[in-house]
Amino acid sequence: MTASGWSANQFSSLLGAYRTDLGLTTATTTALFAVYVLGLIPGLLLGGPLADRRGRRPVVFTALAVSVLATCLLMAGPAATWALWPGRFLTGLGAGALLTAGSVWIKELSTPPYGTAATPGAAARRAGLFLSAGFASGGLAAALIAQWAPHPMITAYLPHLALAATAARFAAHAPETSPVRIAAAAAAAARVGGEAAPVHPTTEAAPAHLIGDSAAARTATTSEPASAPAPGGSSAGGSSPATAFRRLVVPVAPWVFAAPTIAFATLPSLVDAHLDGWQTVYAGVATAVTPGAGLLVAPLARRLAARHRIATAAAGLAAIALGLLVAALAVAHTQPAVALAAAALLGAGYGLCVAYGLTEVAALAPAHRLARLTARFWALCYLGFITPYAITLLTHTFPPPAILIGAAALAVLTLATVTYRGTRSSL
């Protein structure tokens, strides 16, 4: 998950370098940024069902290999600009499959019989934290390398290759957790041995060193309910999981990445007019500040989720609306420092909204459909990656501050809608 976040964001901080060194236009670089989503959506929608049918491990390792190939194509960009397009597309394809299978794998490895996470929601939020760590570090590392290292648009991508190799090595030791694959393995063992102990489709005997201590071992035989209660102790008012997902998760999901992409793909180019020679470093700092703030609000997300199922979403959307208003102020007065404050607010909103979404999905989905619903959530989230390109197109008609204020109004409207629906479902 960290490698996935790193691969997605290493390109973001180099947008300015591509404009100045390769002569690409702003429209071209933002289009390259958005092409990521064209690969990501099929990766998400195919990766989820495949992870449920074939297992978490093969999907994760295939996606990691695709991600490495994508980075190699991006490294060829300075010599062959056309390679940037398939590079970005494959980056999205690999990240999409890795997000769905990886999110579920982490969630299942975190709960008994493999781990000791207290609740499915807490386990699900870990995936968002690892993703945010990759987002925060990938962009900053690429920017610092691009600022001082030779051949910046090649060497800036080398850390991701090393990270992906390290990730593959560690993940190779993690057990398969797919209920379908575990049941198939048990059936195969029964056919070969003539008889075998029954294995519940949602559990598997785990090595003692993975279970941890005796308390965890005592819970290893307890299978998790197919549909856990919603966070905060409230249900969806008797509605089906699909209805609850559509009413309470779908409106929030696009903001998960609309907010941070505005912060690190749109704002830097609008406020860096007086940062001669330091635009790339500034962009890297913005890409670190944004998801870094998302990491810092993780404890707050847990406390809010305990109070009410939509409290985390409400706080996240409020932070995004405020961040967009501060961003409009920064752009109107060309203030890079104020833009970083806006990036922090937008990053906090991202962190709260992604924690809310993953917690809701873990609560709503039965075990055999968890990867599918997780894939749908991430697909909706990554629609937000198109936002910088949409803003670039709108700047031909409206001034950037007005566009950002309009986006803030949309965030407030989403906040009102989700708050009303969430309150009604708890009655």
Side-chain angles (χ1 to χ4, degrees):
M1 292 295 288
T2 303
S4 177
W6 187 295
S7 70
N9 226 16
Q10 61 184 347
F11 181 82
S12 306
S13 59
L14 300 178
L15 293 176
Y18 281 111
R19 286 192 293 266
T20 57
D21 295 355
L22 298 186
L24 302 182
T25 64
T26 300
T28 299
T29 54
T30 52
L32 281 167
F33 187 82
V35 163
Y36 173 84
V37 180
L38 297 182
L40 186 106
I41 299 299
L44 288 168
L45 297 180
L46 293 174
L50 282 174
D52 280 339
R53 289 199 303 268
R54 303 295 183 184
R56 319 312 188 197
R57 177 192 296 276
V59 176
V60 165
F61 277 92
T62 301
L64 199 59
V66 170
S67 180
V68 169
L69 173 60
T71 293
C72 292
L73 286 171
L74 293 175
M75 293 172 70
T81 307
W82 62 266
L84 296 174
W85 297 95
R88 284 295 289 168
F89 178 84
L90 290 176
T91 299
L93 188 67
L98 193 57
L99 280 172
T100 48
S103 296
V104 176
W105 206 8
I106 288 175
K107 182 262 180 185
E108 291 170 339
L109 287 171
S110 298
T111 51
Y114 308 100
T116 58
T119 65
R125 285 191 292 270
R126 291 181 181 178
L129 293 177
F130 288 118
L131 179 68
S132 296
F135 274 134
S137 50
L140 180 60
L144 295 177
I145 292 172
Q147 182 70 28
W148 287 291
H151 309 294
M153 283 173 285
I154 297 176
T155 54
Y157 292 109
L158 292 176
H160 176 250
L161 298 181
L163 177 62
T166 304
R169 180 179 178 184
F170 281 112
H173 300 288
E176 176 61 69
T177 59
S178 168
V180 174
R181 300 305 299 168
I182 293 170
R191 287 195 299 271
V192 172
E195 64 180 55
V199 179
H200 192 279
T202 59
T203 60
E204 178 186 29
H209 72 279
L210 290 176
I211 296 176
D213 54 25
S214 57
R218 285 192 297 273
T219 65
T221 57
T222 305
S223 55
E224 193 177 306
S227 181
S234 62
S235 68
S239 61
S240 68
T243 300
F245 181 83
R246 185 173 62 253
R247 289 172 56 82
L248 298 176
V249 178
V250 170
V252 178
W255 289 105
V256 167
F257 287 124
T261 53
I262 289 172
F264 57 67
T266 298
L267 282 183
S269 63
L270 296 176
V271 298
D272 65 0
H274 306 300
L275 297 175
D276 295 337
W278 294 94
Q279 286 90 342
T280 300
V281 170
Y282 178 80
V285 171
T287 59
V289 166
T290 307
L295 284 169
L296 292 176
V297 298
L300 175 62
R302 289 194 296 271
R303 290 195 294 271
L304 290 172
R307 292 186 177 184
H308 194 279
R309 71 181 300 180
I310 64 161
T312 312
L317 291 167
I320 290 171
L322 180 58
L324 289 168
L325 292 176
V326 175
L329 178 66
V331 172
H333 297 281
T334 318
Q335 292 291 328
V338 178
L340 288 179
L345 286 168
L346 292 169
Y350 148 78
L352 293 169
C353 287
V354 75
Y356 164 78
L358 290 171
T359 301
E360 280 291 301
V361 167
L364 293 171
H368 66 285
R369 295 189 62 86
L370 180 57
R372 287 176 173 83
L373 197 62
T374 302
R376 292 174 189 171
F377 169 68
W378 283 122
L380 291 166
C381 289
Y382 271 96
L383 289 176
F385 256 73
I386 303 174
T387 307
Y389 187 62
I391 291 176
T392 299
L393 296 179
L394 288 173
T395 53
H396 297 299
T397 307
F398 304 100
I403 297 171
L404 294 169
I405 291 172
L410 289 176
V412 171
L413 179 61
T414 307
L415 169 60
T417 301
V418 173
T419 300
Y420 174 76
R421 291 175 177 176
T423 302
R424 296 273 299 177
S425 69
S426 299
L427 296 178

